[in-house]
Amino acid sequence: MENTLESVLQHENWARKQSGPLYAQLRDHIADAIRTGVIGAGDSLPSEREIAELSGVSRITVRKAFKELVRDGLVIQKQGSGTSVTPVVERVQQSLSILSSFTEDMARRGKHVHSELLERGLYPATLPEIMTLSLPPDSMVARISRLRIADGVPLAIERASLSPAFLPDPQNVGQSLYAHLDKYGCRPSRALQRISAINLGADDAELLDVNEGVAGLNIERISYLPNGETVEFTRSIYRGDAYDFLAELHIQPASDSR
Amino acid sequence: MENTLESVLQHENWARKQSGPLYAQLRDHIADAIRTGVIGAGDSLPSEREIAELSGVSRITVRKAFKELVRDGLVIQKQGSGTSVTPVVERVQQSLSILSSFTEDMARRGKHVHSELLERGLYPATLPEIMTLSLPPDSMVARISRLRIADGVPLAIERASLSPAFLPDPQNVGQSLYAHLDKYGCRPSRALQRISAINLGADDAELLDVNEGVAGLNIERISYLPNGETVEFTRSIYRGDAYDFLAELHIQPASDSR
DNA sequence: GAGTGGTCTAGACCACTCG
DNA sequence: GAGTGGTCTAGACCACTCG
């Protein structure tokens, strides 16, 4: 009857059956239990001390196994409230050739989105902002930083900087920055993005509700008006487990292909 | 005179000056020393036991600090040979709108590239390969897996699968798969890529000469001939610290933008 | 207040590297 | 063989969560 967690963790049911370090055997054993559904998404795991006792290893060994499960995003640990299996997140596919608005994009998929405001207002511009946005020295810059949430799941942190010429009133931006820019006729028509992979730091990981060190996508975007003026410089961090970016590539011009 | 590592690690020079856990203070202190150049790229650090003694904390606390420096890619640890500062890698910028060959791309930048062959030959096709490449059931598939190395630095693992119709002789492929396909007039003209972020597993991390768990880019590419036939299905893993992908975005058609 | 994960210690032995 | 990081233990106290 009890083909549950407890029996799975019984020492005699796993230890020394494989080779390699104890913590790796325990880690793989728990990972299998998660993947095969013996433990479901969102379920709580026994405490480190309980597992240590059940499985006959020291608590530090259990912690070491957990640490790697945490790093790989299989479980989530919270001080004071225990360890549980990471809830599954539906991956969002986003095009890398069509410039779209997060809010409009998600609405089209029938998802309920909202943003948590992290920062909004006019600030003294930093040097990168001055250079990227072609601002005069000692200029102010409009900044909007938001945590993007779809159906209750935080997906991305967006930190946008704009020239005050295009956004004199950051306080009035609602859910969608692009919709706001539309009103003033300065919605960008073209953008360049730079994409790289990073391990999330403690602060960003907490905002995105994932474990520190989990892989994320770091995207810097510079958006332009049809006349070539720079509108927006945005640094975003996306959850690696929640996003697939799609790009369509074409062969380079024949003259160049030697 | 000795404003070196040893003095930096002296217990009285850092401990308890900040708040927070000991290991975090030590970690930040070493990270600062690396960033400010007190310890240079490639330099060896003292052993865990030496640091423990110098700084007056237990070895486990030193290990915990090191573990996070390793995770963030600042240092590299090798059993039996010690801990050293990660050598700096020049980032490669690669377009996400132009389909180019790794070999040709790097040659254009004056880099010396070579590949280490991981797997090459004809194998029974897996289900995903059959579906993606439109192969008949129980078909064979040509596979080439290579570790891409530029100027001695491993940059990416590429695992390509092709229909034997396009690549009957995988054994004859040289440095460049695309150059080989050119000869038979079946070089792809268009491709779709899916990009996501992952934490590198132990095997891939070892091939790429980085630490396990470091963030990498996972890219799946499907390439097409001008007539629409699928040529190639490639799963690649790129080092997150070595690649920036560039994408140019355009506004979506007006009819769609409501 | 009971229970959880987070930090820290002292000490031990193992696996690997390198001269 | 000496030195390195890797694993493991038993035990302690702290910070946080939750009923």
Side-chain angles (χ1 to χ4, degrees):
Chain A
M1 280 180 67
E2 288 282 8
N3 179 20
T4 48
L5 212 41
E6 277 67 26
S7 72
V8 165
L9 295 171
Q10 292 290 337
H11 180 262
E12 57 273 26
N13 286 337
W14 59 271
R16 305 298 178 200
K17 291 205 173 150
Q18 309 151 56
S19 58
L22 268 176
Y23 80 90
Q25 295 177 39
L26 179 57
R27 173 198 67 201
D28 294 344
H29 199 69
I30 296 175
D32 280 349
I34 292 173
R35 270 189 278 266
T36 58
V38 176
I39 328 175
D43 285 2
S44 287
L45 288 162
S47 75
E48 296 175 349
R49 288 170 181 82
E50 279 183 81
I51 292 182
E53 196 169 353
L54 271 167
S55 59
V57 301
S58 78
R59 187 179 154 215
I60 285 196
T61 301
V62 176
R63 276 185 72 72
K64 196 154 180 177
F66 271 18
K67 183 108 191 194
E68 304 209 343
L69 293 169
V70 160
R71 188 202 61 199
D72 295 338
L74 286 171
V75 307
I76 290 184
Q77 286 193 304
K78 284 222 175 75
Q79 186 173 166
S81 53
T83 305
S84 56
V85 180
T86 308
V88 203
V89 170
E90 189 193 343
R91 289 182 92 93
V92 175
Q93 311 238 327
Q94 183 167 318
S95 169
L96 273 172
S97 49
I98 295 171
L99 181 60
S100 59
S101 148
F102 179 87
T103 313
E104 294 166 7
D105 216 38
M106 290 297 162
R108 210 170 297 124
R109 294 162 209 260
K111 284 186 184 287
H112 177 253
V113 299
H114 69 282
S115 300
E116 187 179 306
L117 207 58
L118 305 175
E119 183 187 31
R120 181 170 67 172
L122 291 168
Y123 302 85
T126 64
L127 194 55
E129 286 171 330
I130 288 172
M131 298 201 317
T132 311
L133 298 172
S134 309
L135 300 174
D138 301 319
S139 169
M140 299 297 273
V141 71
R143 280 195 210 131
I144 299 190
S145 299
R146 290 168 296 179
L147 178 65
R148 301 299 214 157
I149 302 166
D151 285 345
V153 181
L155 290 182
I157 304 167
E158 276 188 17
R159 299 184 172 98
S161 303
L162 296 92
S163 161
F166 297 115
L167 187 65
D169 56 344
Q171 290 75 11
N172 297 330
V173 174
Q175 282 296 307
S176 174
L177 173 61
Y178 280 20
H180 186 87
L181 290 173
D182 243 351
K183 279 194 258 170
Y184 297 93
C186 48
R187 183 180 176 130
S189 64
R190 197 174 69 83
L192 278 179
Q193 282 193 163
R194 210 176 70 188
I195 300 164
S196 57
I198 52 162
N199 295 91
L200 296 180
D203 295 346
D204 290 340
E206 194 182 337
L207 285 172
L208 292 174
D209 203 15
V210 296
N211 300 306
E212 188 182 349
V214 159
L217 290 160
N218 181 53
I219 301 195
E220 294 184 16
R221 179 171 65 196
I222 301 177
S223 306
Y224 304 92
L225 288 185
N227 69 10
E229 271 188 285
T230 307
V231 184
E232 171 210 15
F233 172 45
T234 298
R235 281 155 293 187
S236 304
I237 295 182
Y238 290 77
R239 275 174 63 159
D241 64 342
Y243 265 90
D244 280 329
F245 282 89
L246 300 180
E248 183 169 0
L249 291 82
H250 294 276
I251 201 167
Q252 50 199 317
S255 64
D256 220 19
S257 75
R258 50 163 187 143
Chain B
M1 276 186 70
E2 287 284 8
N3 180 22
T4 47
L5 212 42
E6 277 69 27
S7 71
V8 165
L9 295 171
Q10 292 289 337
H11 180 261
E12 57 273 25
N13 287 335
W14 59 272
R16 306 298 179 200
K17 291 204 174 152
Q18 309 152 56
S19 58
L22 267 176
Y23 81 90
Q25 296 176 40
L26 179 58
R27 175 199 65 201
D28 294 344
H29 199 67
I30 296 175
D32 280 350
I34 292 172
R35 270 190 278 267
T36 58
V38 176
I39 328 175
D43 287 1
S44 287
L45 287 164
S47 74
E48 296 175 348
R49 288 170 179 82
E50 279 182 80
I51 292 182
E53 197 169 352
L54 271 167
S55 60
V57 299
S58 79
R59 187 180 154 214
I60 287 197
T61 301
V62 175
R63 276 185 71 73
K64 196 152 180 181
F66 270 18
K67 184 111 191 191
E68 304 211 343
L69 293 169
V70 160
R71 189 201 63 199
D72 295 340
L74 285 171
V75 307
I76 291 183
Q77 286 194 305
K78 285 221 175 77
Q79 187 174 168
S81 55
T83 306
S84 56
V85 179
T86 309
V88 202
V89 171
E90 189 192 343
R91 289 183 92 92
V92 176
Q93 311 239 328
Q94 184 168 317
S95 169
L96 273 172
S97 49
I98 296 172
L99 182 59
S100 59
S101 147
F102 178 87
T103 313
E104 294 166 5
D105 216 37
M106 288 297 162
R108 210 170 297 123
R109 295 164 210 258
K111 283 183 185 291
H112 177 253
V113 300
H114 68 283
S115 300
E116 189 180 306
L117 207 57
L118 305 175
E119 183 188 31
R120 181 171 67 174
L122 290 168
Y123 302 85
T126 62
L127 193 56
E129 286 170 332
I130 287 172
M131 298 202 317
T132 311
L133 298 172
S134 308
L135 301 174
D138 300 319
S139 168
M140 299 296 274
V141 71
R143 279 195 212 132
I144 299 190
S145 300
R146 291 170 296 180
L147 179 65
R148 301 299 213 157
I149 302 167
D151 285 347
V153 181
L155 290 181
I157 304 166
E158 277 188 16
R159 299 184 171 99
S161 303
L162 297 91
S163 161
F166 296 116
L167 187 66
D169 56 343
Q171 290 76 9
N172 297 331
V173 174
Q175 282 296 307
S176 175
L177 173 61
Y178 279 20
H180 186 87
L181 290 174
D182 242 351
K183 279 193 258 173
Y184 297 94
C186 49
R187 183 181 177 128
S189 64
R190 199 172 68 83
L192 278 180
Q193 284 194 163
R194 209 176 70 186
I195 301 164
S196 58
I198 52 160
N199 294 90
L200 296 180
D203 295 347
D204 291 340
E206 195 181 337
L207 286 172
L208 292 175
D209 202 15
V210 296
N211 300 305
E212 189 182 349
V214 159
L217 290 161
N218 181 53
I219 302 194
E220 295 184 17
R221 180 172 63 197
I222 301 177
S223 307
Y224 304 92
L225 288 184
N227 70 11
E229 272 189 285
T230 305
V231 184
E232 171 210 15
F233 172 44
T234 299
R235 281 153 293 187
S236 305
I237 295 182
Y238 289 78
R239 276 174 63 160
D241 64 342
Y243 265 89
D244 279 329
F245 282 90
L246 299 180
E248 183 169 1
L249 293 82
H250 293 276
I251 200 167
Q252 49 198 318
S255 63
D256 221 19
S257 75
R258 49 164 191 144

